[in-house]
Amino acid sequence: MGLEQRVTELERRLAELEGVSAPADAPSDSGPGSAEPGVRPEFWALQRLKAELASIGSHDGGVLFTGSVLLPTRERYEWQYGTATEQLLDEDWSREADAFAALGHGVRLRLLKEVVGGRRTAAELAEVDGMGTSGQVYHHLRQLTGAGWLQAAGRGRYEIPAARVVPLLVMLSAARP
């Protein structure tokens, strides 16, 4: 493999690790119509994941989540993240406790939903029925910010970091029965 090919491959792998999606006009050999014969078409992403894992020699499998999301605010987020099973099983899961705990309160989930919907200032969020006092709203905003689910965007505005939009929606999907 020549140097140029090696650099291209390193750039591709780095983009995957960082969750950067390919440009919309980039060629793709995956998608709903590209499943192998005899494979259920709704599992095209799973088949592609298995092929990628095989190409890097991962025998223990892996997990992939991805999304292309257009929010009510007309903001578009495209993101993906994959992790080898071995890496997940070897880590200390308690490190993620604060991130999960921040989502474990109904008011905080409602705040995130309102931010996704376009309410971005603390004042707008405090006006929503059932949010409690402005002090309580600020308390919940601090919890979400501390756990990385929100970030301050200046002048009392909040936003969900781009790298957290799709994971938030994946977690909500996973929590459904």
Side-chain angles (χ1 to χ4, degrees):
M1 182 183 290
L3 180 59
E4 185 175 324
Q5 290 173 318
R6 291 171 56 196
V7 169
T8 300
E9 178 64 13
L10 286 171
E11 288 174 340
R12 182 188 69 79
R13 288 184 178 186
L14 179 61
E16 286 177 6
L17 289 172
E18 291 177 340
V20 176
S21 64
D25 60 352
S28 173
D29 61 353
S30 65
S34 66
E36 300 170 19
V39 175
R40 292 173 43 190
E42 64 268 28
F43 290 138
W44 62 268
L46 175 60
Q47 296 308 315
R48 179 65 187 264
L49 172 63
K50 288 166 59 176
E52 289 292 322
L53 290 167
S55 76
I56 62 170
S58 176
H59 302 290
D60 294 331
V63 176
L64 171 72
F65 57 96
T66 185
S68 177
V69 178
L70 180 63
L71 299 180
T73 58
R74 310 304 299 161
E75 296 166 294
R76 178 170 295 282
Y77 296 92
E78 294 182 336
W79 199 80
Q80 77 176 30
Y81 184 78
T83 307
T85 305
E86 181 179 352
Q87 180 182 354
L88 284 171
L89 296 178
D90 287 346
E91 291 179 354
D92 177 8
W93 290 3
S94 65
R95 294 182 316 170
E96 280 74 24
D98 289 341
F100 284 114
L103 297 178
H105 195 286
V107 171
R108 292 185 198 133
L109 289 173
R110 188 148 178 233
L111 283 169
L112 289 170
K113 183 178 181 183
E114 294 296 331
V115 171
V116 164
R119 294 180 193 241
R120 300 289 169 87
T121 67
E124 290 172 325
L125 294 165
E127 291 173 357
V128 175
D129 286 337
M131 289 293 182
T133 67
S134 60
Q136 291 169 322
V137 168
Y138 276 106
H139 167 77
H140 291 301
L141 290 171
R142 278 192 303 277
Q143 295 294 313
L144 290 166
T145 302
W149 292 109
L150 283 178
Q151 64 186 14
R155 308 194 106 183
R157 296 182 58 81
Y158 293 87
E159 63 187 17
I160 299 174
R164 287 289 204 157
V165 173
V166 171
L168 175 63
L169 297 176
V170 166
M171 292 175 68
L172 288 168
S173 297
R176 291 181 168 190

